[in-house]
């Protein structure tokens, strides 16, 4: 029985969680002429908000930024959002996997308990008679040796 459990643990197929992850979007590349684009300081009194798609990028006041840097930050923000979604999906998958393993373990333990209890219920009378016969034999043998 223990061998069966060990066999199942060793030879269970591994789940490839990468199949459930989303593919990263291609990063937006800077044009060649943007690499030497001059940086400009943002105002020091308020944070700047840049909107892209359904997201937004917030820069702290006084941040020096070029268009190429803004593209890089936007790409990082999009990738961070994607990774957060992937992490949440993997966490849900792992917790579901744990719940299923726990359910299987409880069913297995209940079945072992049923089998063990079933044997005792079926053989309780035989065990009692065997113990009684053994006790009577020991008592008779002891009494016979004491009487001699």
């Amino acid at each position: 029985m223990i061998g069966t459990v060990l066999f199942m643990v060793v030879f269970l197929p591994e789940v490839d969680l990468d199949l459930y992850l989303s593919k990263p979007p291609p990063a937006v590349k800077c044009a060649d002429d943007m690499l030497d684009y001059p940086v400009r300081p943002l105002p020091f009194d308020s944070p700047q908000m840049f909107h892209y798609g359904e997201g937004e990028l917030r820069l702290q006041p006084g941040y020096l930024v070029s268009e190429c840097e803004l593209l890089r930050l936007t790409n990082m923000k999009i990738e961070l959002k994607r990774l957060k979604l992937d992490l949440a999906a993997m966490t849900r998958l792992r917790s579901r996997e744990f719940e299923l393993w726990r359910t299987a373990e409880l069913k297995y333990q209940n079945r072992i308990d049923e089998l063990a209890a079933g044997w005792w219920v079926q053989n309780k009378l035989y065990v009692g008679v065997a113990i009684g016969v053994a006790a009577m034999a020991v008592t008779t043998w002891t009494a016979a040796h004491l009487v001699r």
Side-chain angles (χ1 to χ4, degrees):
M1 194 174 297
I2 293 175
T4 306
V5 172
L6 289 176
F7 178 78
M8 288 174 46
V9 168
V10 171
F11 293 107
L12 277 178
E14 291 187 14
V15 177
D16 185 14
L17 295 177
D18 291 337
L19 297 174
Y20 299 101
L21 299 179
S22 61
K23 299 291 183 226
V28 179
K29 303 286 186 199
C30 291
D32 291 336
D33 60 346
M34 291 177 73
L35 292 177
D36 58 353
Y37 196 85
V39 294
R40 59 186 169 91
L42 295 176
F44 282 94
D45 54 352
S46 64
Q48 298 296 307
M49 304 293 274
F50 297 95
H51 298 281
Y52 60 91
E54 64 269 351
E56 61 184 23
L57 179 66
R58 180 175 185 216
L59 295 178
Q60 295 301 317
Y63 192 83
L64 294 176
V65 64
S66 68
E67 267 111 21
C68 191
E69 178 71 5
L70 186 59
L71 280 176
R72 190 183 69 76
L73 290 173
T74 305
N75 287 335
M76 286 174 42
K77 185 77 171 184
I78 292 170
E79 183 67 11
L80 177 65
K81 187 175 181 181
R82 184 187 71 81
L83 289 174
K84 282 182 182 178
L85 289 173
D86 288 348
L87 180 63
M90 286 176 29
T91 303
R92 282 193 306 271
L93 285 171
R94 293 301 273 173
S95 15
R96 181 67 180 142
E97 180 187 21
F98 176 76
E99 290 171 10
L100 291 174
W101 272 105
R102 185 71 180 138
T103 303
E105 180 185 358
L106 288 174
K107 286 182 181 178
Y108 179 71
Q109 188 61 44
N110 289 339
R111 183 65 181 145
I112 289 174
D113 293 343
E114 287 173 11
L115 291 173
W119 180 87
W120 175 250
V121 169
Q122 291 174 356
N123 300 315
K124 189 176 6 178
L125 179 65
Y126 298 127
V127 170
V129 169
I131 291 173
V133 167
M136 184 181 70
V138 169
T139 305
T140 305
W141 181 78
T142 305
H145 281 331
L146 288 176
V147 170
R148 286 188 195 179

